[in-house]
Amino acid sequence: MDDGQRPRARIRPGGPAPLLLQTVHEHRPETGAVSLLRARGTVDASNAGEFSEALAEHITQADRAGEHPVLDMTELYLACAAAVRAVDRATGVLAFSGRALPVVQPRPHVREALRASGLPGVRAHATMTSALTSLRDPVATERRADPRPGGTVR
């Protein structure tokens, strides 16, 4: 019987988790300088613009510093279409130049939303190792990751 209430498993006490962003700069022997943006919390309509601006700034700063930008979405929840559009806006400059932002460990629903939207400036990776490997040889990594026989690299 439906009483109009949301199922208990979907109710989050106190509302969505606040958006927290942290930048970490690392030097990896296999890839060189890496700028990692760790995102945590929820991106929804109320903060999608803020997230898009922060991600775009992260990419710009990494490019200026000669670093590879990487986004860690291990603890991030995209709550609406505006959140996916925020990622698209922020990665547009990369897509325009034929590059893609490695995104590490998006949750299954986030990975599916990114895949379904076909964002050209984003490449999801299950592990940090996979993301860093893609920085060394992005074309070969994308070909290996393409599960379709004879699939084309986008």
Side-chain angles (χ1 to χ4, degrees):
M1 179 167 147
D2 185 5
D3 61 3
Q5 298 286 330
R6 292 173 55 190
R8 280 203 167 294
R10 297 181 132 189
I11 297 174
R12 296 181 66 159
L19 177 62
L20 303 171
L21 302 169
Q22 176 189 21
T23 300
V24 177
H25 302 279
E26 299 178 351
H27 184 80
R28 303 275 182 128
E30 66 275 16
T31 59
V34 174
S35 181
L36 176 67
L37 180 63
R38 290 188 174 133
R40 180 180 190 180
T42 302
V43 178
D44 57 20
S46 70
N47 63 8
E50 172 191 345
F51 177 68
S52 181
E53 290 173 15
L55 181 55
E57 181 65 21
H58 172 76
I59 293 167
T60 300
Q61 291 296 327
D63 281 349
R64 284 185 189 143
E67 299 172 326
H68 297 287
V70 176
L71 174 61
D72 182 353
M73 295 180 79
T74 305
E75 298 182 48
L76 189 69
Y77 178 74
L78 299 179
C80 64
V84 174
R85 286 191 302 273
V87 174
D88 187 31
R89 279 191 307 274
T91 59
V93 68
L94 292 174
F96 184 75
S97 67
R99 299 183 305 157
L101 176 69
V103 176
V104 180
Q105 296 181 346
R107 295 173 183 214
H109 76 280
V110 173
R111 186 173 45 249
E112 186 56 36
L114 293 174
R115 185 181 335 215
S117 61
L119 302 181
V122 173
R123 291 288 178 267
H125 297 272
T127 65
M128 181 62 76
T129 301
S130 172
L132 294 175
T133 299
S134 76
L135 296 173
R136 284 194 312 242
D137 188 5
V139 174
T141 301
E142 287 179 24
R143 284 189 184 131
R144 280 194 304 270
D146 191 345
R148 299 168 295 173
T152 58
V153 178
R154 293 187 200 190

